[in-house]
Amino acid sequence: MRKVVLLAIAALLVLPTFARAEDAAEILAKTDANLNNFSNLHMTSTMTVKASDGTAKVREIKVWLQGDSRMVKFAKPASDVGIALLSTDSKTNFVYLPEYKKVRRVASHVRNQTFMGTDFSQEDMAILRYADEFTPKVESETATHWILELTRKPGADISYAKLQLTVKKENHTIDKIVYHDNSGVAQKTEERANYSKHQSKKGEYWTMSKITMTDIKTGHQTVLENSGLQIDLTLEPDFFSERNLKRPVQ
């Protein structure tokens, strides 16, 4: 009898743990889906790179997204026109530099390096669904937000050991991400703001019009401001290809 009672108590103790893990997975799944619930999209982003001394450099980029694929082409300033980036999934990245007139595949060991002097790496720009690479748990919550701790899955080819996501309960959108390295040290923060709701052929989804990435150690900062959103476009079958990567920006 005593053994039965002990087993029952043990079962009650582990049940909350299982429920919490399931809740975290569901939250992250809804968050991933909510940010990718479209056939494709195109937008223009103004990228302002701010140094810690207050100086700034402004660029304009054109962005296309469809499924796991992302195309980024630089439109301004003139010195950067023609530079382009293609991600066909979170691990496969190509870059085109007009100066060399060649498409080059980005080696996996440099995907986490800063891209074009910004605070974004090519790896950052290629991550579209966090559940693919990370296992979530609920770290804490408030009346309005969940704080999720995302731990890198075994074998995942990604440089961050852990992410901390602040997810809004109202609509499963991400307000903030803290990126941690393999030592568990926070490296940079990403803040997302000015969300708007849209309706695509697939249903409802949300986009942010402002993203601020900050290097915690240096204070260096990159701000993306998005505009001109278009969804459910008719794109050529080979749009997300190395050949199209070399074509002039439209």
Side-chain angles (χ1 to χ4, degrees):
M1 182 66 181
R2 183 171 178 270
K3 184 177 181 181
V4 172
V5 172
L6 289 174
L7 287 173
I9 293 173
L12 289 172
L13 289 174
V14 299
L15 278 174
T17 302
F18 289 136
R20 190 174 185 126
E22 290 170 358
D23 288 344
E26 183 179 6
I27 294 165
L28 187 59
K30 288 182 178 179
T31 301
D32 280 345
N34 204 15
L35 297 174
N36 293 278
N37 199 22
F38 49 82
S39 299
N40 57 50
L41 67 76
H42 169 55
M43 61 186 175
T44 298
S45 295
T46 300
M47 177 187 288
T48 304
V49 181
K50 301 178 179 180
S52 54
D53 63 2
T55 59
K57 182 174 184 178
V58 180
R59 298 183 174 104
E60 183 181 288
I61 60 176
K62 306 291 184 179
V63 181
W64 293 262
L65 289 172
Q66 180 170 286
D68 291 334
S69 300
R70 180 192 300 259
M71 178 83 74
V72 176
K73 294 192 175 186
F74 283 76
K76 294 178 183 178
S79 58
D80 292 343
V81 171
I83 296 173
L85 172 69
L86 170 65
S87 300
T88 54
D89 55 49
S90 62
K91 303 175 183 63
T92 310
N93 301 280
F94 300 91
V95 65
Y96 176 67
L97 301 175
E99 181 181 357
Y100 301 102
K101 301 188 185 305
K102 283 187 177 181
V103 174
R104 297 182 177 180
R105 183 164 180 166
V106 180
S108 59
H109 67 277
V110 299
R111 288 188 299 114
N112 63 340
Q113 295 180 6
T114 58
F115 179 68
M116 296 287 294
T118 72
D119 296 282
F120 291 87
S121 67
Q122 296 194 47
E123 183 178 62
D124 298 336
M125 293 187 285
I127 299 175
L128 299 177
R129 290 184 301 275
Y130 295 95
D132 292 348
E133 312 287 353
F134 297 93
T135 301
K137 74 173 183 179
V138 177
E139 185 177 284
S140 62
E141 65 178 288
T142 67
T144 58
H145 291 82
W146 293 290
I147 309 299
L148 297 184
E149 180 184 273
L150 273 57
T151 305
R152 182 176 55 206
K153 290 180 178 179
D157 184 18
I158 197 160
S159 64
Y160 301 112
K162 185 177 73 173
L163 303 182
Q164 185 187 64
L165 269 60
T166 302
V167 179
K168 188 177 294 182
K169 291 183 175 180
E170 178 185 2
N171 51 21
H172 287 84
T173 55
I174 299 172
D175 282 352
K176 185 176 180 180
I177 306 173
V178 183
Y179 296 83
H180 297 77
D181 64 15
N182 287 323
S183 300
V185 178
Q187 296 295 301
K188 53 189 179 181
T189 63
E190 179 182 340
E191 296 177 271
R192 301 180 177 184
N194 302 340
Y195 278 93
S196 57
K197 183 170 66 173
H198 305 274
Q199 193 73 26
S200 74
K201 293 177 181 178
K202 289 187 174 183
E204 181 182 291
Y205 73 100
W206 294 78
T207 60
M208 75 295 291
S209 63
K210 185 175 182 180
I211 302 174
T212 304
M213 186 75 89
T214 305
D215 185 298
I216 294 174
K217 184 177 181 180
T218 66
H220 197 272
Q221 193 173 76
T222 302
V223 179
L224 284 177
E225 295 178 280
N226 303 321
S227 62
L229 178 70
Q230 298 175 287
I231 61 170
D232 297 333
L233 306 171
T234 301
L235 300 176
E236 295 297 325
D238 69 339
F239 185 87
F240 295 96
S241 65
E242 294 180 48
R243 186 172 74 169
N244 190 34
L245 195 63
K246 298 187 288 186
R247 293 173 181 161
V249 66
Q250 300 298 315

